[in-house]
Amino acid sequence: MSVLIAGAGIGGLAAALSLHAAGVGAAVVESAREIRPFGVGINLLPHAVRELIELGLGDELAAIGVATAENVYADRLGRRVFTEPRGMAQGYRWPQYSVHRGELQRLLLAAVRERLGADAVRTGARVVGFGDSGEWAGPGERGGVRVRILDRATGTVEESAARALIGADGLHSAVRAALHPQDGPLLWSGIRMWRGTTRAEPFLTGRSMVIVRDGDAELVAYPIGGGRVNWVCQVRVSEPGPLTGDAAWNRVGRLADVLPYFDHWRLGWLDVPGLLVNSGEILEYPMVDREPLPWWGSGRVTLLGDAAHPMYPVGANGASQAVVDARVLARELARTGDVPTALARYETERREATAAVVRANRAMNRAGARTPEELARVTDTYRDTTGGDVRTLNARASLGRR
Ligand SMILES: Cc1cc2nc3c(=O)[nH]c(=O)nc-3n(C[C@H](O)[C@H](O)[C@H](O)COP(=O)(O)OP(=O)(O)OC[C@H]3O[C@@H](n4cnc5c(N)ncnc54)[C@H](O)[C@@H]3O)c2cc1C
């Protein structure tokens, strides 16, 4: 029996690779019938890049990622307010990468299939439930979890035995819903986000991320390689509160909804209206998170990544925290053969740490810092509260070490 992972997103695939590297058998079931390169830009912070390099993916990552050199905060006339070096320029021993989410997912998927076997990831298979099973015996242990899997092609539900079930099934996690039927709604920040990628000339260093604010509108833009600039336009349109509609990463957005907020912006070194008008596709997503959970899992079932701790995508930490989850989970499962104990230790190490990131993302979003001093304080505080301090990360032992 192996560990069954629900979801072949960044978190689920990183978990499969981490478990394999730690000598723990794993398999992944993914609800999508086909894994296509969905999404747009995403950032991997040095603490996650370190883990992926230790998993032997350094060259592949460097080939698809842009090593971010700086964050530039500016006003809508393009005047710099504050510049912060990033990644190795900031003193980390590992870079920060901006990548296309779909390309990162494809890279991880290829590595999983190569290392764990061609059939290690089963697509078109959705986890719909689970239950304990006292009767199964694994090598050196008794017990297991019975996972109910819907085969989307045939509509049949089958049961599969696993040593553990890891719910890495994202924002609308079925595993989380089963563990936490009283879970509250998605919480909306009141901000609409439009996102896209556009073929555009490099700007500033060619490896700069820019954050430009004007009233309730904000633009974040950065290159993701292949002559593409990823952009995110955020506009506060409401007070925060429970989300009434739907939140889907792949919902199509409309140029006419976003352009009026940005068509008068003139940065000089980046054509903002042009970015929006020439974008291949525009996606719209409400900036949402959930209240951190008081506990994640029980027995042989736990959560990982967005299923455990969905957060505002403002600190570049969503995928990065999922990778760290994956590494800690694998280390604990390799350390003790007793699965419930290993999962409890994983949760102890990760639950509060990721709740702090959820809260820090909210605080950063509310801070509305404008002056260089305020921006320096906000970014320093963010790093400190989210475990991203340069010296601490550079000095600490690898998460893969037992
Ligand atoms: C299609 C898509 C596009 C995204 N685009 C962006 C983006 O452009 N920018 C950004 O910052 N973040 C994006 N995200 C979110 C980002 O990937 C995550 O915040 C982060 O990488 C953590 O990933 P995760 O693996 O925990 O969750 P996710 O990346 O959400 O992956 C969860 C996976 O689980 C699968 N799944 C769901 N339910 C089940 C089930 N019951 N059984 C089996 N499998 C299931 C989903 O199909 C998905 O592949 C996107 C997510 C998705 C799913």
Side-chain angles (χ1 to χ4, degrees), residues 328-364:
V328 173
L329 174 77
R331 186 194 66 205
E332 291 306 325
L333 276 165
R335 201 180 251 170
T336 163
D338 181 52
V339 172
T341 302
L343 299 194
R345 287 184 183 154
Y346 154 73
E347 180 176 326
T348 300
E349 182 164 334
R350 295 301 296 151
R351 192 172 52 76
E352 258 315 309
T354 51
V357 182
V358 171
R359 293 190 198 101
N361 285 7
R362 287 180 186 168
M364 191 159 72

Side-chain angles (χ1 to χ4, degrees), residues 7-12 29-31 38-42 101 125-127 168-170 174 195 249-250 305-306 318-319 322:
I10 310 302
V29 291
E30 163 59 49
S31 171
F38 279 133
V40 285
I42 208 166
R101 177 191 178 273
R126 179 182 296 157
V127 170
D169 48 347
R195 304 168 304 129
W249 280 106
N250 276 345
D306 278 6

Side-chain angles (χ1 to χ4, degrees), residues 71-354:
N71 276 7
V72 173
Y73 294 79
D75 66 19
R76 74 171 172 81
L77 297 174
R79 293 175 299 210
R80 270 177 199 249
V81 180
F82 175 62
T83 301
E84 183 188 53
R86 299 293 287 187
M88 295 179 83
Q90 201 172 9
Y92 290 106
R93 289 164 53 203
W94 306 273
Q96 169 177 335
Y97 282 124
S98 297
V99 292
H100 187 288
R101 177 191 178 273
E103 290 167 11
L104 174 62
Q105 188 182 22
R106 199 159 45 195
L107 181 163
L108 297 172
L109 178 65
V112 170
R113 288 190 165 143
E114 189 188 308
R115 298 177 189 184
L116 281 75
D119 57 356
V121 179
R122 178 178 163 199
T123 54
R126 179 182 296 157
V127 170
V128 291
F130 54 86
D132 274 341
S133 173
E135 68 267 28
W136 286 315
E141 63 179 311
R142 290 199 65 77
V145 52
R146 232 170 344 120
V147 184
R148 282 191 291 285
I149 298 170
L150 168 73
D151 182 320
R152 293 183 60 199
T154 62
T156 53
V157 175
E158 62 200 58
E159 287 200 344
S160 187
R163 280 185 76 201
L165 171 64
I166 313 300
D169 48 347
L171 189 66
H172 301 290
S173 166
V175 180
R176 176 177 174 133
L179 286 165
H180 299 274
Q182 314 300 336
D183 201 13
L186 282 169
L187 300 174
W188 185 36
S189 58
I191 294 175
R192 290 175 77 178
M193 299 173 66
W194 292 268
R195 304 168 304 129
T197 56
T198 307
R199 301 223 160 260
E201 291 298 314
F203 58 92
L204 301 180
T205 62
R207 295 192 291 123
S208 303
M209 176 184 295
V210 294
I211 300 116
V212 187
R213 293 203 183 120
D214 185 46
D216 284 334
E218 179 173 314
L219 166 85
V220 180
Y222 51 87
I224 53 168
R228 297 162 301 178
V229 171
N230 184 78
W231 57 267
V232 185
C233 286
Q234 307 174 6
V235 182
R236 186 178 297 280
V237 296
S238 167
E239 289 303 311
L243 183 75
T244 46
D246 184 28
W249 280 106
N250 276 345
R251 186 172 135 205
V252 174
R254 296 188 333 152
L255 178 67
D257 289 340
V258 56
L259 191 59
Y261 295 106
F262 296 89
D263 58 2
H264 57 295
W265 284 31
R266 297 289 177 265
L267 301 188
W269 35 266
L270 179 65
D271 174 9
V272 175
L275 269 188
L276 276 54
V277 169
N278 298 319
S279 181
E281 183 183 33
I282 294 180
L283 301 171
E284 184 179 350
Y285 181 75
M287 189 188 285
V288 288
D289 67 6
R290 285 187 196 277
E291 210 48 63
L293 287 168
W295 55 273
W296 282 357
S298 166
R300 291 170 180 268
V301 184
T302 193
L303 303 171
L304 181 147
D306 278 6
H309 44 70
M311 55 183 67
Y312 293 169
V314 296
N317 237 323
S320 300
Q321 292 297 324
V323 171
V324 175
D325 287 350
R327 294 285 279 167
V328 173
L329 174 77
R331 186 194 66 205
E332 291 306 325
L333 276 165
R335 201 180 251 170
T336 163
D338 181 52
V339 172
T341 302
L343 299 194
R345 287 184 183 154
Y346 154 73
E347 180 176 326
T348 300
E349 182 164 334
R350 295 301 296 151
R351 192 172 52 76
E352 258 315 309
T354 51

